[in-house]
Amino acid sequence: MKRPVFTIHNHAEIAKVINYLNLNHAQAAVEGKPLVVTIKPKEQKRSNDQNALYWLWMTKWANHTGQTKDEASAHFKYVCLSKIYERDQVGEYPKTFATLRDLKKEKNKSYEQLRKFVSDKMSTTEASVKQFTEYLNDIHIWALANDGFYLEKPEDLMYVLEY
């Protein structure tokens, strides 16, 4: 049986869920596989416009520093996103960051290589819209404060920096 997912925006969509249950519960019971219904609020990931602004800024930063845009992305994930993920306890990142801190304290030869690996592999797709908004604002502030480089905010994407 296919696993349907229903997003409920209004009362009419509740009827679709009830209709599905009415049509499928008997068959599921006969198969010995009763239906399980999970209800949770929808978690929204970053928007396409946030993504567009992010890669515009990574390209501008890369051009400014001589890096590739992927290297720029890894840099900002390390200096900005890691703090958000650790604070908000996103996935396994807090444990990974704690391990990296321990390696750094021990002056372990592998620290820098592992830090770069984690920065490269850290996924921005795990950020919620709110977290990604904070991340974009942190990038903007960091670039200006640490390098004096102003990342322009295109008029049509300004709203993505507000939550």
Side-chain angles (χ1 to χ4, degrees):
M1 180 180 293
K2 184 180 168 196
R3 291 184 179 191
V5 174
F6 298 94
T7 302
I8 301 171
H9 297 284
N10 56 48
H11 193 269
E13 291 168 345
I14 294 172
K16 290 178 186 177
V17 175
I18 293 169
N19 187 41
Y20 179 86
L21 291 171
N22 285 333
L23 291 171
N24 292 283
H25 81 281
Q27 179 186 353
V30 168
E31 293 173 1
K33 298 177 181 176
L35 300 176
V36 175
V37 177
T38 303
I39 299 174
K40 63 181 183 174
K42 181 179 179 184
E43 292 183 20
Q44 198 170 1
K45 298 295 183 183
R46 74 177 189 218
S47 70
N48 289 336
D49 287 343
Q50 284 179 317
N51 194 52
L53 180 60
Y54 179 68
W55 287 109
L56 172 72
W57 280 0
M58 293 305 99
T59 301
K60 289 187 179 293
W61 182 259
N63 291 339
H64 172 69
T65 61
Q67 298 174 308
T68 66
K69 64 183 179 179
D70 289 331
E71 289 169 334
S73 177
H75 167 76
F76 283 110
K77 286 186 285 185
Y78 172 69
V79 298
C80 299
L81 188 61
S82 62
K83 293 173 185 157
I84 296 168
Y85 279 1
E86 184 155 33
R87 179 198 67 214
D88 294 350
Q89 299 292 299
V90 175
E92 294 295 315
Y93 291 116
K95 291 178 187 173
T96 303
F97 302 147
T99 301
L100 283 172
R101 277 193 299 278
D102 290 344
L103 290 173
K104 186 176 182 178
K105 282 181 198 171
E106 296 167 4
K107 299 185 186 211
N108 187 300
K109 293 184 280 185
S110 302
Y111 165 75
E112 189 59 28
Q113 184 178 2
L114 287 169
R115 184 201 62 76
K116 285 181 180 180
F117 178 80
V118 170
S119 296
D120 286 342
K121 299 302 177 196
M122 192 184 316
S123 178
T124 59
T125 61
E126 294 179 59
S128 67
V129 169
K130 184 178 180 182
Q131 289 168 326
F132 208 79
T133 300
E134 181 181 357
Y135 178 44
L136 288 170
N137 283 306
D138 289 351
I139 289 169
H140 192 267
I141 291 165
W142 191 96
L144 191 58
N146 291 281
D147 193 73
F149 188 71
Y150 183 80
L151 291 163
E152 300 224 1
K153 302 173 197 171
E155 187 80 24
D156 62 333
L157 294 175
M158 287 286 287
Y159 79 96
V160 304
L161 298 171
E162 300 168 1
Y163 184 82

